[in-house]
Amino acid sequence: MGIFIERRCSCCGNLYRYEEYPSYISFCPSCKRDGFFESCYTENGIMPCRIYLGEDIIGEVTSVTETSYIIISDKFDIHERIEASSNPYLEAMDMLLYMIKEPNKVMRLKEKLKRQFLRENQEMHISDNDSLNMVFIQAIVEVMKRVYDKEMEKTERTLEKTFFGNVTDMNNNRTYESDKQKLKRDLKSIEKFRYAEGQKIEELSDVFPDELKCLKKETDELKSNFESNHYNISRQNSYEITIFDKLGICKKILNKQISSVKKVSNSKFKELYKEYDDHFKSIIKRASSSDISDDDYLFMLFDFFNFEDKFSLELVYSIADYAVKNDISDDVFDRAKYLYVSHLRSPKGITCMNRSFFLRKQYIQFLLKCNDYQFIYRLHKYIIYLELVFILKQYLITDKMIEEIPLSERVLFLKEKYNLLGEFNKDKEWNPKMIRIARKIFDRWSGKEAIW
Ligand SMILES: [Zn+2]
């Protein structure tokens, strides 16, 4: 046993102790702050430096060359080399402080990846930390969804066996035969919808053949399933189909009737939106009850994620609301198309999916309330963020990283940092002006790609 040093925390006054060592960083075990360090430099860099949390050694910093260091912490799964460091003590302290204070493993993963990314891409000069966090969180959520979809069991059955358990449960007042006819019609309209998506994917696959292969495979499978009356569909897919069936607005958007006042009057428009509102309000109520299981929460969250990704009814409302309240002129309003379209092509020629609700919503104001010069600058930034989500998701964040984190922690992260269900606007108030704008969005930009 070595000699122990006592130290009074400069933040909370707690007295704590740890073993004496020539070079160390110490954190208070009580408030997890303090961050005191004793430096010891040699001609080759620093003496190996211990990192303490109270008495526990939680990591170590060692020199590799005079200016490069390795920070290791098994506890937080860190093994990082820092090149051209100006102060390894401060850098290690900064990194560990975040890890100690943040209880959630997903957030710690985000921070670790963000640091790594920023160090390797210093030329990017991203100074907007909030947006960057949003981008990293979005990429992580999309990988979580990838893992979730992969893990969700798929059953290979005939149409009747696949759906009728579910459909009759939900509509048990209807007869089997009328359910079946209805379902067949709905499947047809979704087939159309998915097929349109499939074509999009085909175009995209020239740019990113590998990444989109899995998506394309899914579409192809679905197409051949329809032809053979054989389905390979998850619980989420089949639920999604019943929602398409239930919410009239979906079909009105898909067959482009929503933009015509003759086909959908203003009061009908409100009625359709209300039907959608009521449906998700009840979902959200269930999702926010205290006894909801992690599985059910994920199911509901990703269900809403999918729905908003396809139809963007929340985003459309937000855009219409903002445009009317701020009296946005028609040509300026046109800028909002970059937020609505399903995918964008970046200046580098990369095609990116536009599915970060939080980023999109934040940019409504950024893009609509500025002059032309600022607009170009902001749009450029926005597209770079979308590109980044894509790159992170495909090349940096692996399924394994997510799978190693317990499901309960993933769900907690989603509830606290990606509360998409909380973004649902429960009290929409439409007026004729707003409806006109919403129709314009569906009419002009639905199913289109925007090119920078
Ligand atoms: Zn303290």
Side-chain angles (χ1 to χ4, degrees):
M1 248 347 203
I3 302 162
F4 278 79
I5 302 172
E6 280 196 335
R7 179 174 160 75
R8 192 169 291 283
C9 170
S10 62
C11 305
C12 74
N14 170 44
L15 196 64
Y16 66 101
R17 52 176 231 153
Y18 45 86
E19 200 181 334
E20 189 182 34
Y21 204 70
S23 167
Y24 63 83
I25 296 170
S26 72
F27 294 102
C28 165
S30 166
C31 70
K32 321 255 194 263
R33 286 180 293 170
D34 202 19
F36 178 79
F37 68 87
E38 189 69 60
S39 56
C40 189
Y41 287 88
T42 70
E43 6 180 277
N44 303 318
I46 59 164
M47 286 278 289
C49 163
R50 277 186 184 170
I51 306 170
Y52 288 113
L53 175 61
E55 275 185 40
D56 298 336
I57 301 170
I58 56 165
E60 197 174 60
V61 190
T62 45
S63 286
V64 181
T65 68
E66 230 174 290
T67 55
S68 69
Y69 304 86
I70 291 187
I71 301 174
I72 295 173
S73 167
D74 289 342
K75 185 176 166 69
F76 297 114
D77 191 29
I78 293 170
H79 192 282
E80 258 183 70
R81 185 173 167 144
I82 297 184
E83 304 289 343
S85 165
S86 54
N87 188 334
Y89 291 100
L90 282 180
E91 279 152 11
M93 208 166 73
D94 195 31
M95 180 187 308
L96 267 299
L97 185 66
Y98 184 93
M99 299 297 168
I100 293 168
K101 282 172 70 183
E102 176 54 63
N104 190 285
K105 283 198 177 119
V106 185
M107 285 302 281
R108 299 208 295 248
L109 173 68
K110 181 222 71 179
E111 189 64 15
K112 195 180 112 180
L113 295 171
K114 199 178 91 183
R115 280 172 176 278
Q116 185 187 337
F117 179 84
L118 285 176
R119 223 178 23 254
E120 287 166 6
N121 296 280
Q122 285 173 4
E123 73 289 348
M124 281 187 76
H125 302 294
I126 298 177
S127 52
D128 180 356
N129 195 41
D130 284 352
S131 300
L132 199 58
N133 277 327
M134 215 183 264
V135 164
F136 271 80
I137 288 175
Q138 178 69 24
I140 286 178
V141 171
E142 290 188 25
V143 176
M144 279 185 181
K145 189 173 176 306
R146 188 166 75 200
V147 169
Y148 180 78
D149 289 341
K150 190 176 77 181
E151 284 171 357
M152 186 168 271
E153 233 179 278
K154 290 195 175 174
T155 44
E156 203 179 319
R157 289 179 191 160
T158 59
L159 180 142
E160 286 79 5
K161 281 189 181 154
T162 305
F163 295 110
F164 281 98
N166 293 334
V167 172
T168 41
D169 274 347
M170 287 187 189
N171 313 309
N172 48 16
N173 51 343
R174 286 190 206 156
T175 66
Y176 178 85
E177 270 312 306
S178 68
D179 273 356
K180 195 168 147 183
Q181 288 315 317
K182 208 164 183 345
L183 180 65
K184 279 198 168 159
R185 284 197 304 274
D186 293 337
L187 284 169
K188 266 211 144 42
S189 71
I190 296 161
E191 175 187 16
K192 264 182 166 170
F193 186 66
R194 291 262 181 165
Y195 184 66
E197 273 195 335
Q199 284 203 319
K200 234 185 302 180
I201 289 161
E202 228 150 288
E203 287 163 26
L204 297 184
S205 54
D206 296 340
V207 191
F208 287 112
D210 290 339
E211 290 71 20
L212 292 156
K213 224 181 269 168
C214 52
L215 273 178
K216 175 145 165 39
K217 194 169 155 264
E218 207 176 278
T219 320
D220 283 352
E221 255 175 34
L222 211 69
K223 240 170 91 180
S224 76
N225 286 343
F226 276 113
E227 279 152 20
S228 62
N229 195 26
H230 213 75
Y231 300 84
N232 193 4
I233 263 173
S234 72
R235 189 163 65 96
Q236 187 120 40
N237 296 145
S238 64
Y239 180 70
E240 208 178 332
I241 289 169
T242 60
I243 298 312
F244 274 99
D245 164 36
K246 193 176 154 189
L247 304 180
I249 198 162
C250 300
K251 268 165 248 154
K252 297 288 180 203
I253 294 173
L254 294 183
N255 58 27
K256 295 243 169 204
Q257 291 179 349
I258 193 96
S259 49
S260 152
V261 190
K262 278 183 206 146
K263 291 189 175 120
V264 178
S265 67
N266 275 7
S267 57
K268 182 72 187 164
F269 182 98
K270 281 197 246 179
E271 209 178 284
L272 289 169
Y273 241 98
K274 190 176 174 304
E275 186 186 41
Y276 149 83
D277 283 347
D278 290 345
H279 170 74
F280 279 102
K281 263 191 226 170
S282 75
I283 296 273
I284 288 162
K285 201 174 158 202
R286 271 178 59 209
S288 54
S289 73
S290 55
D291 59 346
I292 185 95
S293 72
D294 288 343
D295 276 338
D296 286 347
Y297 182 83
L298 281 182
F299 190 90
M300 291 174 198
L301 175 72
F302 288 138
D303 179 51
F304 183 54
F305 181 100
N306 285 338
F307 194 90
E308 181 65 17
D309 187 37
K310 288 195 170 70
F311 295 101
S312 303
L313 297 190
E314 291 306 306
L315 186 84
V316 168
Y317 178 80
S318 300
I319 294 174
D321 187 42
Y322 186 86
V324 169
K325 282 190 181 134
N326 293 276
D327 204 15
I328 301 295
S329 69
D330 200 51
D331 54 329
V332 169
F333 168 77
D334 225 36
R335 296 170 179 173
K337 77 165 173 240
Y338 294 100
L339 304 176
Y340 177 78
V341 291
S342 63
H343 53 289
L344 286 154
R345 196 163 295 175
S346 77
K348 285 185 205 153
I350 298 179
T351 304
C352 327
M353 304 308 272
N354 196 3
R355 43 170 64 140
S356 167
F357 181 81
F358 293 96
L359 208 54
R360 292 161 96 187
K361 197 171 171 196
Q362 189 189 53
Y363 268 77
I364 295 174
Q365 186 188 346
F366 287 179
L367 296 187
L368 297 187
K369 207 163 202 175
C370 59
N371 62 36
D372 286 354
Y373 170 75
Q374 286 167 322
F375 165 67
I376 298 292
Y377 174 76
R378 289 177 185 182
L379 178 62
H380 185 79
K381 223 163 125 183
Y382 176 74
I383 294 175
I384 284 177
Y385 288 147
L386 292 188
E387 233 178 41
L388 201 50
V389 171
F390 182 83
I391 289 165
L392 293 174
K393 193 175 82 173
Q394 297 305 140
Y395 301 105
L396 194 64
I397 309 169
T398 63
D399 290 3
K400 194 165 168 280
M401 289 175 185
I402 299 298
E403 284 158 359
E404 282 170 356
I405 298 173
L407 189 68
S408 59
E409 287 211 39
R410 288 184 236 166
V411 170
L412 203 63
F413 159 83
L414 289 167
K415 285 180 177 170
E416 287 174 2
K417 308 289 177 186
Y418 198 84
N419 185 12
L420 188 64
L421 297 171
E423 289 294 312
F424 180 83
N425 195 325
K426 289 182 181 133
D427 308 299
K428 297 186 180 70
E429 277 179 43
W430 290 101
N431 60 41
K433 252 185 172 173
M434 285 167 70
I435 295 176
R436 198 160 46 84
I437 287 178
R439 288 183 197 274
K440 209 153 69 180
I441 295 175
F442 291 123
D443 183 44
R444 286 190 197 168
W445 306 329
S446 251
K448 294 210 174 84
E449 176 193 59
I451 298 173
W452 163 263

